[in-house]
């Protein structure tokens, strides 16, 4: 992928062009994931069995979810919110480049130069590299958050059928800006910022720290060391995923959209309240698996079938 080069006349860096292309191509899946993170499940779960043979309720996969969106809004409707999403990626790229120009990262070292460093020098170099990367990531998140809010709220309109963030000559950007200002004021453009920033910084910091510790103190094989970062990144992403769900919910909460109010979503007092509620409901991981999605709410097992439980199932038959 790194060897792919665009024609010289294309005024977009190759890396950014590839990211934008991939984001556009896979947007329907990202769109479905956002709706799942918001807890919107328009398709009823079906009875199935787990890999261990236990009866369970399973929601349709992301492919069936995309099919539901296509049936309701058509093919073009599957790309709702793609414009602010791609603009957000472009802004993050530009902000990252500008930050690195002002505060350059540590220069790359050859293998023999790195081996010649003492342990104290390696630690000092690791701290400098990690802090610079974290500062750059925080800058990118803060700058791009308004576009992230526009993108997520545009997708959330699918729940209530609004059109404040969609359509028009500006692809919903102007209408979205006006709606945010009317509903939440200027701070509304940074709704969901804190959990998103904590999640992004957490992934970066945990990945860098685990990679440094394992490669420095556990692994001596240089060939194996190149895979450490990938494994550490996967673990860090899993650990910090609940913050991504929290950020998505807080971005939509009290937004003027049906998806952000009861009965679709409780009225949260803050992101910690949202995180606590999602934890109590066992919903911190919703959207993390897009193929095998099991219903985790209250349920009753009758024979080899699972039935979603609700309050009416426990009412006395004598009560009217």
């Amino acid at each position: 992928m790194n060897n792919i080069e665009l024609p010289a006349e294309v005024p977009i860096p190759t890396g950014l062009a590839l990211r934008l292309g991939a984001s556009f191509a896979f947007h329907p899946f990202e769109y479905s994931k956002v709706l799942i993170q918001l807890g919107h499940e328009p398709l009823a779960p079906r009875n199935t069995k787990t890999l261990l043979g236990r009866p369970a309720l399973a929601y349709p996969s992301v492919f069936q979810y995309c099919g539901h969106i296509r049936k309701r809004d058509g093919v073009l409707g599957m790309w709702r919110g793609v414009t602010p999403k791609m603009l957000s990626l472009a802004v993050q790229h530009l902000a990252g480049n500008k930050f690195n120009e002002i505060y350059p990262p540590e220069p790359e070292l050859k293998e023999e130069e790195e081996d010649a460093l003492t342990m104290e020098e390696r630690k000092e170099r690791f701290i400098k590299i990690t802090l610079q990367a974290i500062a750059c990531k925080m800058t990118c998140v803060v700058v791009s958050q308004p576009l992230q809010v526009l993108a997520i709220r545009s997708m959330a309109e699918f729940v209530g059928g609004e059109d404040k963030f969609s359509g028009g000559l500006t692809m919903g950007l102007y209408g979205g800006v006006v709606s945010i200002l009317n509903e939440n004021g200027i701070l509304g453009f940074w709704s969901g910022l804190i959990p998103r920033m904590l999640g992004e910084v957490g992934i970066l910091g945990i990945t860098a720290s685990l990679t440094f510790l394992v490669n420095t103190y556990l692994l001596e094989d240089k060939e194996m060391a190149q895979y450490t970062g990938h494994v550490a990144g996967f673990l860090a992403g899993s650990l910090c995923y609940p913050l991504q769900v929290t950020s998505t919910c807080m971005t939509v909460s009290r937004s003027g959209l049906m998806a952000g109010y009861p009965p679709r979503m409780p009225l949260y007092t803050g992101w910690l309240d949202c995180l606590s509620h999602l934890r109590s409901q066992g919903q911190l991981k919703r959207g993390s698996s897009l193929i095998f999605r099991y219903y985790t709410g209250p349920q009753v097992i009758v024979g080899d079938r699972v039935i979603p439980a609700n309050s009416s199932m426990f009412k006395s038959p004598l009560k009217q």
Side-chain angles (χ1 to χ4, degrees), residues 1-319:
M1 293 292 287
N2 293 332
N3 295 327
I4 299 176
E5 292 187 5
L6 295 178
E9 62 270 14
V10 178
I12 302 178
T14 303
L16 176 59
L18 292 174
R19 286 190 65 191
L20 292 177
S23 177
F24 182 85
F26 293 102
H27 184 75
F29 301 115
E30 181 67 22
Y31 181 11
S32 299
K33 182 178 180 179
V34 167
L35 293 178
I36 294 169
Q37 288 178 337
L38 291 173
H40 182 59
E41 296 290 354
L43 303 175
R46 57 179 175 79
N47 272 278
T48 185
K49 290 187 177 181
T50 64
L51 294 176
L52 299 177
R54 296 179 180 177
L57 284 172
Y59 284 116
S61 71
V62 69
F63 300 103
Q64 293 166 297
Y65 207 120
C66 288
H68 173 73
I69 295 173
R70 181 184 58 80
K71 287 179 182 178
R72 209 189 87 171
D73 290 347
V75 174
L76 292 179
M78 297 170 67
W79 274 266
R80 182 196 294 262
V82 70
T83 301
K85 182 66 179 178
M86 295 180 70
L87 288 175
S88 174
L89 292 176
V91 167
Q92 290 183 65
H93 178 84
L94 294 174
N97 284 349
K98 192 64 178 178
F99 185 92
N100 288 332
E101 285 180 16
I102 300 173
Y103 303 101
E106 290 290 301
E108 291 284 337
L109 296 180
K110 295 180 180 179
E111 186 174 334
E112 52 270 19
E113 293 176 326
E114 194 166 340
D115 291 338
L117 296 176
T118 65
M119 185 56 67
E120 287 300 318
E121 289 173 333
R122 289 186 184 184
K123 290 179 181 178
E124 184 178 349
R125 176 176 166 78
F126 160 72
I127 292 173
K128 287 181 178 180
I129 291 175
T130 304
L131 289 179
Q132 192 274 348
I134 288 176
C136 181
K137 176 62 70 174
M138 292 175 67
T139 302
C140 294
V141 168
V142 171
V143 171
S144 66
Q145 185 63 15
L147 288 165
Q148 181 80 353
V149 172
L150 286 168
I152 291 177
R153 291 191 181 184
S154 175
M155 299 178 210
E157 286 186 326
F158 181 84
V159 178
E162 300 94 346
D163 60 355
K164 300 176 182 178
F165 294 81
S166 307
L169 295 175
T170 60
M171 304 294 184
L173 295 177
Y174 176 76
V177 168
V178 172
S179 176
I180 292 172
L181 288 173
N182 290 339
E183 294 289 341
N184 310 116
I186 192 68
L187 293 180
F189 289 104
W190 285 271
S191 299
L193 172 66
I194 295 178
R196 181 191 172 200
M197 182 178 292
L198 290 176
E200 298 269 9
V201 170
I203 291 174
L204 198 157
I206 293 172
T207 301
S209 299
L210 285 177
T211 302
F212 175 77
L213 291 173
V214 171
N215 288 350
T216 303
Y217 297 104
L218 297 179
L219 281 181
E220 295 182 0
D221 189 347
K222 296 289 184 182
E223 299 249 340
M224 291 293 294
Q226 63 182 324
Y227 301 108
T228 308
H230 300 292
V231 177
F234 175 80
L235 293 175
S238 180
L239 286 172
C240 297
Y241 185 79
L243 290 168
Q244 184 180 342
V245 179
T246 304
S247 176
T248 300
C249 290
M250 290 306 300
T251 299
V252 177
S253 180
R254 302 173 187 262
S255 60
L257 302 176
M258 187 182 294
Y261 295 91
R264 303 286 185 178
M265 183 185 295
L267 293 175
Y268 298 120
T269 58
W271 72 272
L272 287 174
D273 180 35
C274 177
L275 182 67
S276 176
H277 175 261
L278 291 172
R279 182 187 294 113
S280 68
Q281 299 296 312
Q283 298 293 307
L284 286 175
K285 289 289 187 177
R286 63 190 183 195
S288 60
S289 175
L290 298 178
I291 305 297
F292 301 104
R293 305 197 305 119
Y294 294 106
Y295 174 78
T296 58
Q299 49 193 277
V300 177
I301 300 178
V302 181
D304 60 348
R305 292 179 59 82
V306 180
I307 302 173
N310 55 63
S311 57
S312 63
M313 299 175 69
F314 304 101
K315 289 182 179 178
S316 171
L318 299 179
K319 292 184 178 180

